[in-house]
């Protein structure tokens, strides 16, 4: 009955609006893509089960709103994340430059115990629009290296290129993070000696 | 996942709102809700009905009467307030409320609105100070009530054919209905005996101590006491009704008749069988059946279909099946949405902890959504400095109740009705909490005109009779209890862990506890402990209880063992979930909260602990929520079990307690106490003696009696037609509504509340000394006289029903 439950990992996706966060998630979970743009309001949630190194893992993916006016979930949103995915648009240099602030925002809000080693993954999306690329691979990789070697993937939500790999890496990193956490739960035992009468009087009349 | 987000604007009410609304609405509730029964001016009504009421309803300092002709369920549900009528004395108050509610829709800031509502409340209270202004004399108990009752009868008789679709069993009962109009005492018939006939002679269990027929079957009296007989009731020698016809024992008799005489525990059953045989000989079943009012518990095992499917409240703990969790479901399949009462627990990071239905893993998107809603709402309450939070959301026929307990968040999602029907929609329109203006304009079809009319009172119910009633206060109490059960398993240490590590996955710690949490939910809906925050003792003759108590607390070293007593904090002898007796150490004295006891009982009864002898850590949240105690649990007697709380986990203690258990069982067995206990167990839950009901002239459906001083209650068996989980739940939820209403109106003790639904009348009577909750078929008349007699009789039974002395170890 008390079977070991599978691991559940909370993954949140951050990035400017329109970089393709929801599309990436949809491609990964539902294998679908649409050209229509619909701003995410607040957040969206999806669950995906994956096999990582023979271990069944459930990803609870929190897809956020990139637009500032929809961002008000605050700390509850970032709290307890096991991995954070930063997404930018390869054709939009501004979205790349904003990665810094997204990362900072996350670290401030989520307060992970070991900020330097918290697992991030960076995705440069819209690889299919190679012709309009504005952020070079080298530039992005360099930035990632300076931030404690964040893994970097160039993906296309439209063609699904690299999406699976990227999310597998995300799950692996999150799992590693989870493993490093000491998971032992040891509640205290009540000590009553302090207020216990020193002499236990046998109750009369019972024998 | 879109479920929670999309759709109609959700009225979100902080508690202040709902509270105020209810309070303001209550006076409106005095007036009737049925369209045709709008009352006159209060003063006239009072004058007109004064005479009628005089003997009808017990007088006391404050008494609320609610008559609900048109529909019962929802009135008792979320909003009594919406039943306010224009003609009610509190039109002004209602007007104010409506105006406030209109503002409410435009409000930006909930805390501000709470203030507005509160002021309305005060205004309403000022306008209507219950004691001096309305008081007893102004009770709007309709003077035409009797007439309407008669109509009710008439309708039933004329619509008799409607029951043709009933099941076979229901057809069997039809003769009752047919004869009802003639044979049954009408409310006006002075059936109740005179004051001298106080049923003190009626005894339940003044049983001789030994197994020789400790509790006799009620012979003759039930058969002879036809409703119209007005002669001195045959109270002498009346003992006990075979309860809610203990079906399980009945089965056992058939299964293993030989054992019935060999085993101690079965002797009782054999006697009962004989009793039944005798009875059958003296009085052909058919005869007595037709002469008995339909609602009257006749003590014989019911033969109807619902009974066979019934899971008695005593069986809840032993019958959990993991399949009922439907682990294959999640929020992507329609089946998952069909469960009536969801409960989900998740962490403040949105990670699932437990779900009553479905797989927690696959519901993680759903819990994520819920956590986003909670935290989003929290930003609205930022000005309340953390004192306020999202309490509930009503959407259509669903109510979402939320509770934050540190880093653990709990949500219940309950559906009030199954499916939709025209009848329900008209009620919804009336009930619409956030849009009061629609109520007058909505074409309200009186449900009685469209719904299939019940043709056989308590036996045949239209579909809507199973509608559930949910109020926020009930759900909040439930969620709080679930949280305490969680703490009982995990201690508050879980809070620290989650705060230090928000991504912590709590599910790993809860393996195998599905039954514990689920049983608590199921049990809460069907027992009184949830209503009065107390525990239920096993009725037992006082001398027997003394023997049991002495055996229980007789701790001493056996052989070369050690004396376990220095570490014993409490010892509890359980019969199923009822407490036979208990003893507590002076360390814990007066600190053993009844809720702690209830969740402890639920824990040991629900898990594998029940099946063997075991040693488990438990936490008593009211006593100390941060650490574990240890419980020795031995249920090797199957129905009888010992729980000992110990402050040490050392192994010697376990063996010492194990020896103690065996010695205790020997002592109980040799003194005959064990037989007495088993007899009593077989009769649980106890039905009120028929002779008592005849004397009172009221075939009570259920009676609950609670003693605040002892924090114990007695709940009678349900009358035969109500022995079905859904109906039991429904009646308890009405009790809850009554209790909530009394609490919200800040009624001072003693206070009483009378509430009529389509099929039942409810009466709640709270005094400092006792609380009485009772429910009777609507067609009967609850009179001052009969209720007082009932209480007096219950008082005479207190020593049998309750544990008056809990010794200190």
């Amino acid at each position: 009955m008390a079977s070991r439950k599978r691991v559940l990992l909370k993954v949140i996706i951050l990035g400017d609006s329109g970089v393709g966060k929801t599309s990436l998630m949809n491609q990964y979970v539902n294998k679908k893509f649409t050209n229509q743009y619909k701003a995410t309001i607040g957040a969206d949630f999806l669950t995906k089960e994956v096999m990582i190194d023979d271990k069944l893992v459930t990803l609870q993916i929190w897809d956020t709103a990139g637009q500032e006016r929809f961002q008000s979930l605050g700390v509850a949103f970032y709290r307890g994340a096991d991995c954070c995915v930063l997404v930018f648009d390869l054709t939009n240099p501004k979205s790349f430059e904003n990665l810094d602030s997204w990362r900072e925002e996350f670290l401030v809000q989520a307060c992970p115990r070991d900020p330097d080693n918290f697992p991030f993954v960076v995705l440069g999306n819209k690889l299919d629009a190679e012709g309009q690329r504005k952020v070079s691979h080298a530039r992005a990789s360099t930035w990632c290296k300076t931030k404690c070697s964040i893994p970097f993937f160039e993906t296309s939500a439209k063609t699904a290129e690299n999406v699976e790999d990227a999310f597998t890496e995300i799950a692996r990193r999150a799992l590693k993070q989870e493993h490093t956490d000491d998971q032992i739960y040891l509640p205290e035992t009540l000590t009553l000696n302090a207020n216990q009468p020193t002499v236990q009087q046998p109750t009369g009349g019972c024998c | 996942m879109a479920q929670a987000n999309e759709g109609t604007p959700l009225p979100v009410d902080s508690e202040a709102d709902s509270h105020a609304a209810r309070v303001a609405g209550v006076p409106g509730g005095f007036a009737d809700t049925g369209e045709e029964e709008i009352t006159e001016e209060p003063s006239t009504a009072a004058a007109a009905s004064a005479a009628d009421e005089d003997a009808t309803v017990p007088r006391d300092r404050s008494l609320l009467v609610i008559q609900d002709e048109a529909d019962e369920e929802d009135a008792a549900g979320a909003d009594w307030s919406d039943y306010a009528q224009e003609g009610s004395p509190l039109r002004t108050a209602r007007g104010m409320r409506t105006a406030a509610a209109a503002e409410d829709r435009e409000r930006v800031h909930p805390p501000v609105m709470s203030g507005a509502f509160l002021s309305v409340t005060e205004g309403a209270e000022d306008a209507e100070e219950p004691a001096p202004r309305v008081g007893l004399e102004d009770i709007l108990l309709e003077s035409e009530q009797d007439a309407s009752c008669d109509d009710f009868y008439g309708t039933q008789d004329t619509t008799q054919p409607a029951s043709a679709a009933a099941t076979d069993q229901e057809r069997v009962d039809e003769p009752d209905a047919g004869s009802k109009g003639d044979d049954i005492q009408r409310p006006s018939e002075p059936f109740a005996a005179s004051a001298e006939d106080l049923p003190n002679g009626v005894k339940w269990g003044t049983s001789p101590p030994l197994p020789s027929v400790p509790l006799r079957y009620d012979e003759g009296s039930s058969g002879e006491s036809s409703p119209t007989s007005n002669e001195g009731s045959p109270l002498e020698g009346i003992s006990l009704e075979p309860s809610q016809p203990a079906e399980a024992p009945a089965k056992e008799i058939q299964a293993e008749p030989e054992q019935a005489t060999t085993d101690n525990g079965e002797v009782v059953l054999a006697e009962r069988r004989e009793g039944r045989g005798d009875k059958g000989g003296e009085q052909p079943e058919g005869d007595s059946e037709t002469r008995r009012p339909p609602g009257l518990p006749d003590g014989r095992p019911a033969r109807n279909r619902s009974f066979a499917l019934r899971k008695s409240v005593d069986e809840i703990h032993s019958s959990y099946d993991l399949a009922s969790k439907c682990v294959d479901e999640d929020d992507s399949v329609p089946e998952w949405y069909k469960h009536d009462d969801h409960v989900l627990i998740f962490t403040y990071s949105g990670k699932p902890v437990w779900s009553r239905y479905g797989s927690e893993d696959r519901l993680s998107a759903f819990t994520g959504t819920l956590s986003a809603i909670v935290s989003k709402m929290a930003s609205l309450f930022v000005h309340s400095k953390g004192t306020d939070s999202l309490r509930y959301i009503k959407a259509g026929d669903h109510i979402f109740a939320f509770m934050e307990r540190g880093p653990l968040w709990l949500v219940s999602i309950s559906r009030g009705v199954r499916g939709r029907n025209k009848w329900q929609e008209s009620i919804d329109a009336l009930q619409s909490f956030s849009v009061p203006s629609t109520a007058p304009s909505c074409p309200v079809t009186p449900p009685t005109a469209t719904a299939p009319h019940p043709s056989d009172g308590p036996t045949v119910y239209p579909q809507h009779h199973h509608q559930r009633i949910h109020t926020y206060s009930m759900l909040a109490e439930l969620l709080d209890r679930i949280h305490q059960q969680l703490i009982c398993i995990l201690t508050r240490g879980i809070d620290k862990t989650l705060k230090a590590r928000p991504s912590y996955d709590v599910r790993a710690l809860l393996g195998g506890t599905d039954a514990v949490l689920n049983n608590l939910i199921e049990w809460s809906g069907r027992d009184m402990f949830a209503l009065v925050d107390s525990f239920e003792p096993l009725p037992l003759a006082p001398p027997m209880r003394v023997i049991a108590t002495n055996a229980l607390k007789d701790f001493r070293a056996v052989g070369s063992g050690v004396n376990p007593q220095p570490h014993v904090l409490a010892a509890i002898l359980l019969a199923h979930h009822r407490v036979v007796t208990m003893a507590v150490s002076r360390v814990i004295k007066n600190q053993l909260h009844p809720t702690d006891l209830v969740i402890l009982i639920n824990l040991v009864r629900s898990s594998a602990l029940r099946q063997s002898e075991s040693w488990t850590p438990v936490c008593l949240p009211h006593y100390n929520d941060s650490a574990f105690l240890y419980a020795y649990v031995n249920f090797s007697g199957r129905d009888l079990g010992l729980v000992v709380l110990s402050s040490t986990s050392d192994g010697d203690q376990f063996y010492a307690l194990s020896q103690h258990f065996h010695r205790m069982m020997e002592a109980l067995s040799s003194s005959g106490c064990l037989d007495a206990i088993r007899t009593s167990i077989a009769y649980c839950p106890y039905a009120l003696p028929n002779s008592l009901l005849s004397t009172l002239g009221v075939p009570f459906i259920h009676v609950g009696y609670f003693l605040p001083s002892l924090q114990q209650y007695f709940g009678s068996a349900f009358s035969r037609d109500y022995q079905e989980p859904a109906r039991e739940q429904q009646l308890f939820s009405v009790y809850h509504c009554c209790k909530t209403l009394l609490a919200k109106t800040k009624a001072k003790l003693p206070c009483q509340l009378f509430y009529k639904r389509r099929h039942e009348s409810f009466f709640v009577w709270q005094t400092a000394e006792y609380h009485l909750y009772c429910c009777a078929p609507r067609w009967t008349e609850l009179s001052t006289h009969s209720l007082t007699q009932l209480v007096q009789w219950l008082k005479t039974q207190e020593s049998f029903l309750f544990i008056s002395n809990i010794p200190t170890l």
Side-chain angles (χ1 to χ4, degrees), chain B residues 253-561:
Chain B
I253 289 174
Q254 288 161 5
E256 30 186 38
E258 294 80 15
Q259 285 188 16
T261 45
T262 56
D263 184 288
N264 276 338
E266 307 290 333
V267 168
V268 176
L269 302 173
E271 284 164 10
R272 292 185 62 199
R273 185 182 50 171
E274 286 158 21
R276 200 172 290 141
D278 292 344
K279 186 173 180 176
E282 288 172 18
Q283 179 93 37
E285 272 201 0
D287 275 357
S288 58
E289 181 74 46
T290 48
R291 283 161 59 184
R292 190 164 289 117
L296 202 68
D298 63 356
R300 254 166 291 124
R303 295 161 302 160
N304 68 40
R305 193 171 41 90
S306 66
F307 175 69
L309 300 172
R310 179 178 70 90
K311 183 161 99 181
S312 134
V313 71
D314 294 283
E315 295 158 34
I316 288 177
H317 287 102
S318 49
S319 62
Y320 180 75
D321 180 2
L322 199 59
S324 67
K325 184 175 163 74
C326 306
V327 284
D328 294 335
E329 295 177 9
D330 60 43
D331 58 332
S332 65
V333 298
E335 287 75 23
W336 188 75
Y337 295 93
K338 288 182 181 154
H339 302 292
D340 279 339
D341 300 290
H342 281 281
V343 175
L344 295 120
I345 308 174
F346 47 93
T347 70
Y348 66 162
S349 308
K351 286 195 174 186
V353 172
W354 181 75
S355 167
R356 187 178 186 197
Y357 301 109
S359 139
E360 286 90 2
D361 274 307
R362 289 192 272 156
L363 286 169
S364 69
F366 195 84
T367 57
T369 312
L370 290 173
S371 71
I373 292 172
V374 173
S375 61
K376 180 69 191 170
M377 289 297 167
S379 64
L380 293 174
F381 302 127
V382 67
H383 290 278
S384 72
K385 299 195 172 77
T387 57
D388 216 343
S389 63
L390 174 61
R391 311 283 167 96
Y392 67 90
I393 297 175
K394 275 182 74 178
D397 49 12
H398 283 78
I399 176 165
F400 298 68
F402 295 81
M403 178 163 287
E404 294 180 41
R405 285 284 179 266
L408 285 173
W409 294 355
L410 300 91
V411 174
S412 81
I413 305 172
S414 302
R415 177 164 36 197
V417 288
R418 288 194 187 104
R420 295 188 70 81
N421 54 36
K422 198 173 169 187
W423 187 84
Q424 178 56 34
E425 274 161 23
S426 55
I427 297 305
D428 279 346
L430 267 180
Q431 290 266 312
S432 185
F433 189 84
S434 60
V435 198
S437 57
T438 60
S441 64
C442 171
V444 177
T445 322
T448 45
T450 55
H453 201 280
S455 58
D456 191 6
T459 305
V460 178
Y461 296 94
Q463 172 83 26
H464 60 74
H465 197 78
H466 292 284
Q467 285 162 3
R468 305 284 309 283
I469 303 166
H470 297 289
T471 60
Y472 169 68
S473 60
M474 270 170 70
L475 295 171
E477 282 173 23
L478 175 66
L479 291 179
D480 187 53
R481 206 171 301 118
I482 294 170
H483 177 254
Q484 286 174 29
Q485 185 81 68
L486 264 187
I487 296 305
C488 174
I489 299 167
L490 299 173
T491 80
R492 274 316 254 273
I494 194 65
D495 287 10
K496 275 190 224 156
T497 304
L498 274 171
K499 276 176 184 148
R501 204 179 303 130
S503 70
Y504 188 79
D505 193 348
V506 187
R507 293 173 308 148
L509 303 175
L510 290 176
T513 55
D514 277 314
V516 178
L517 296 171
N518 188 71
N519 289 347
L520 183 72
I521 296 170
E522 202 171 320
W523 188 23
S524 291
R526 293 179 50 199
D527 209 341
M528 291 251 314
F529 76 86
L531 187 66
V532 288
D533 203 10
S534 55
F535 66 93
E536 183 176 20
L538 178 80
L540 196 62
M544 284 294 142
R545 212 184 297 275
V546 169
I547 295 174
T549 307
N550 287 338
L552 174 72
K553 67 177 188 170
D554 179 17
F555 288 105
R556 59 192 144 93
V558 173
S560 57

Side-chain angles (χ1 to χ4, degrees), chain B residues 201-204 216 218 221 234-241 689 691:
Chain B
V202 181
K203 289 281 164 48
W204 237 326
R216 276 197 300 118
D218 175 13
S221 68
L235 299 182
E236 291 311 314
I238 295 317
S239 37
L240 160 89
E241 289 307 315
S691 50

